[in-house]
Amino acid sequence: MRFQTIPGVSFLLEPRAIQTEFELTPELQAQYEVRSLPRTSTKRDTKRIGDISEAQVITAFTKLGYDVLLPFGENHRYDLVVDDGANLFRIQVKTGRVRDGVIKYNCSSSHAHRGGTARPYFGQIDYLAVYCPETEKVYILPEKELTATSAHLRLSPPRNNMVKSIRWARDFELP
């Protein structure tokens, strides 16, 4: 088995691969530097935002030792399945945003932009995972904690000091 070689990087010789290290010139470093792509539109890219949140949730579960399964296609009410070795759990992923000391997130899918209505996830998922870019954390909520539309997790005490029945973000944080 032979592959085309790339001089100075790596190559495969039967039966083992040999790797070598090298230093890049400043010109090559600039050429291969990973940079953010320029935005081609001012419109919010909700698909990309959702993909980032999903990747963060997958990473968090994988770091904890769970197996993560991705369903084929886009027509499921859940984004991924988490396997703990004994059970499978359907997870819907949402992106949370910090506003006024709380992480706000949706508990339903909305197709209002297509003339549809909000559809809650009751009975169709086991957990809602919320990734918040501002805190860089994942929060996991059981289905029984969901509402029909949107909800929030509190990061800081409210101004009126009423703390009874508050859902603190730290209580739902995925380690």
Side-chain angles (χ1 to χ4, degrees), residues 6-140:
I6 302 171
V9 177
S10 65
F11 50 95
L12 179 69
L13 295 175
E14 294 178 46
R16 66 178 199 264
I18 300 173
Q19 292 188 336
T20 183
E21 293 183 22
F22 61 95
E23 287 188 34
L24 292 176
T25 64
E27 294 81 22
L28 284 175
Q29 270 184 325
Q31 181 180 346
Y32 292 108
E33 180 182 358
V34 177
R35 291 177 289 258
S36 296
L37 293 174
R39 291 188 62 125
T40 56
S41 169
T42 57
K43 185 177 174 185
R44 212 171 69 149
D45 189 350
T46 55
K47 177 69 172 131
R48 183 178 298 256
I49 291 167
D51 288 346
I52 291 168
S53 294
E54 199 170 311
Q56 292 293 338
V57 171
I58 290 168
T59 300
F61 275 112
T62 303
K63 283 181 177 179
L64 291 172
Y66 293 94
D67 291 326
V68 178
L69 313 169
L70 299 176
F72 177 75
E74 295 278 328
N75 294 321
H76 303 283
R77 296 290 286 157
Y78 50 91
D79 293 316
L80 51 103
V81 175
V82 172
D83 181 354
D84 70 358
N87 299 296
L88 300 175
F89 301 100
R90 298 166 298 174
I91 311 287
Q92 174 62 36
V93 178
K94 294 292 182 183
T95 304
R97 294 287 178 208
V98 175
R99 302 286 185 266
D100 300 321
V102 298
I103 300 169
K104 295 185 176 194
Y105 57 92
N106 289 324
C107 295
S108 61
S109 62
S110 173
H111 297 284
H113 60 283
R114 292 186 228 154
T117 60
R119 291 178 48 207
Y121 294 103
F122 300 133
Q124 298 173 324
I125 64 171
D126 300 303
Y127 292 93
L128 185 77
V130 178
Y131 172 69
C132 180
E134 290 93 344
T135 63
E136 296 184 338
K137 294 181 180 174
V138 173
Y139 305 89
I140 186 84

Side-chain angles (χ1 to χ4, degrees), residues 143-175:
E143 190 248 0
K144 69 179 182 174
E145 291 282 338
L146 303 183
T147 64
T149 55
S150 63
H152 63 271
L153 297 172
R154 185 153 282 284
L155 292 167
S156 58
R159 287 184 223 134
N160 65 5
N161 294 322
M162 300 291 287
V163 294
K164 191 174 183 179
S165 71
I166 285 181
R167 293 187 310 161
W168 294 101
R170 65 178 173 260
D171 295 338
F172 296 95
E173 192 176 309
L174 198 61

